[in-house]
Amino acid sequence: DSGVTQTPKHLITATGQRVTLRCSPRSGDLSVYWYQQSLDQGLQFLIHYYNGEERAKGNILERFSAQQFPDLHSELNLSSLELGDSALYFCASSVGLAGTGEQYFGPGTRLTVT
Amino acid sequence: AQRVTQPEKLLSVFKGAPVELKCNYSYSGSPELFWYVQYSRQRLQLLLRHISRESIKGFTADLNKGETSFHLKKPFAQEEDSAMYYCALRDRGSTLGRLYFGRGTQLTVWP
């Protein structure tokens, strides 16, 4: 167990809907990263938050947004869902901002869009 | 641009045989290389990082800057090594920690 938790574990929804994925980092970790794992794109970085502030964006669609709250948990919001958004969404946390610490991954949320 | 290439999507070996999972990278900065393992669609776990130069579960990996490679090796594969392996890169010179992943290699170790 990495100490990173994600809810829900599974999510099934219809096209056009909106969902929110939640991530709680390890105690003391200030950085949260979101990654999308799909069969055709592999593992792709979406967005990085540090202590409540957005730090970097990757291949994140405009329909997707995220935030990190004062208690450091993070939410990834996916709207106007399409079939192609079906994927496993991971979050990872690390203690600092700089790229020196290990990233600990959560168990992921499996999103199925029907 | 950063790129991590894992040329083998699938790799199968028999138990006790040596195994090598290939990883090549292209990066203009100062990279830090990692190997992550994912068992049966579970969470990713860090297996190795090149700066540690350690052996985990019998696996080793050496960063070859000349060949820009970071191949993962194990002399005697075990059935429990069957998993998805991802090579990843991070910019050591950056204040950001995002990882760039390869497409992964599914290793199957047959009994």
Side-chain angles (χ1 to χ4, degrees), chain A residues 14-92:
Chain A
T15 54
Q17 295 299 305
R18 172 190 166 94
V19 297
T20 297
L21 313 183
R22 182 188 170 104
C23 168
S24 293
R26 293 188 322 151
S27 177
D29 284 359
L30 299 178
S31 271
V32 171
Y33 302 81
W34 285 97
Y35 294 88
Q36 180 193 58
Q37 184 181 40
S38 62
L39 285 175
D40 54 342
Q41 297 292 327
L43 261 166
Q44 293 207 71
F45 166 73
L46 294 178
I47 198 162
H48 169 207
Y49 274 84
Y50 174 79
N51 203 21
E53 293 189 9
E54 180 187 302
R55 296 295 302 177
K57 269 187 175 180
N59 299 319
I60 188 166
L61 300 171
E62 286 191 11
R63 300 183 285 109
F64 296 1
S65 64
Q67 53 184 330
Q68 187 180 26
F69 295 86
D71 66 353
L72 301 176
H73 90 272
S74 178
E75 292 182 356
L76 180 67
N77 301 296
L78 315 177
S79 61
S80 302
L81 285 168
E82 302 174 359
L83 295 177
D85 298 327
S86 296
L88 194 54
Y89 291 85
F90 287 106
C91 75

Side-chain angles (χ1 to χ4, degrees), chain A residues 2 37 40 97 99 101 103, chain B residues 38 43 49 86 90 95 97 103:
Chain A
S2 66
Q37 184 181 40
D40 54 342
L97 172 63
Q103 287 187 25
Chain B
Q38 187 179 31
R43 73 181 73 212
R49 53 195 303 182
Y86 290 96
R90 183 168 68 187
T95 57
R103 295 300 296 268

